[in-house]
Amino acid sequence: MDVEAEIIDLKLRVKDLEAATHPGRTTFDDHGQRCAHANLLTEICMRMETMQAAITGATVDVAQARAELTDAQSGTDQKFAALGIEIANLRSQTTRHLTSVQSEIQRRLDFLRCEMIDLDLRLDRLLHKDGA
């Protein structure tokens, strides 16, 4: 390549780079026509900006979903902890009630034994009176 062709090529590359860094600016070639590479680079830049905006939006959505999931998990953990406390209280209350009922049954059984012994003694006395 001769020097002139190299200079033209370098100018085109600089224009393409300018178009890539400034997508709103129009780049023209030496004949006053819009450079084909500039059109392509402008379109690529615009698509990249659109993709970056979509990625940013998706990142925000993912962060919000993670926060909601963390809140839901925290709420569930709290509910399970409260349920565990309720179950422990119910067990304790049931144990106390069972102990109370067992004591009452034992007391009544003792009372019935005493009554049976008393009735047995009365019956023996009555039979002994009638037989004597």
Side-chain angles (χ1 to χ4, degrees), residues 25-83:
R25 186 187 294 170
T26 304
T27 305
F28 296 95
D29 62 11
D30 291 337
H31 305 293
Q33 300 211 355
R34 188 175 167 105
C35 184
H37 295 291
N39 290 336
L40 181 61
L41 288 174
T42 301
E43 183 179 345
I44 289 171
C45 286
M46 289 184 348
R47 286 186 181 184
M48 284 182 63
E49 287 175 1
T50 303
M51 287 173 53
Q52 286 175 340
I55 289 170
T56 302
T59 303
V60 168
D61 291 343
V62 167
Q64 287 175 343
R66 283 184 178 169
E68 289 173 7
L69 184 60
T70 301
D71 288 345
Q73 184 178 12
S74 174
T76 303
D77 290 346
Q78 289 174 354
K79 287 177 183 178
F80 276 123
L83 184 60

Side-chain angles (χ1 to χ4, degrees), residues 52-118:
Q52 286 175 340
I55 289 170
T56 302
T59 303
V60 168
D61 291 343
V62 167
Q64 287 175 343
R66 283 184 178 169
E68 289 173 7
L69 184 60
T70 301
D71 288 345
Q73 184 178 12
S74 174
T76 303
D77 290 346
Q78 289 174 354
K79 287 177 183 178
F80 276 123
L83 184 60
I85 291 169
E86 290 285 330
I87 290 171
N89 289 337
L90 183 60
R91 282 183 182 165
S92 176
Q93 185 179 15
T94 302
T95 301
R96 283 193 308 268
H97 184 67
L98 180 62
T99 303
S100 173
V101 168
Q102 285 174 336
S103 292
E104 181 65 22
I105 289 172
Q106 187 64 44
R107 188 183 63 76
R108 287 183 182 185
L109 183 61
D110 289 343
F111 177 76
L112 286 174
R113 281 187 188 148
C114 289
E115 289 291 315
M116 290 289 290
I117 291 171
D118 188 45

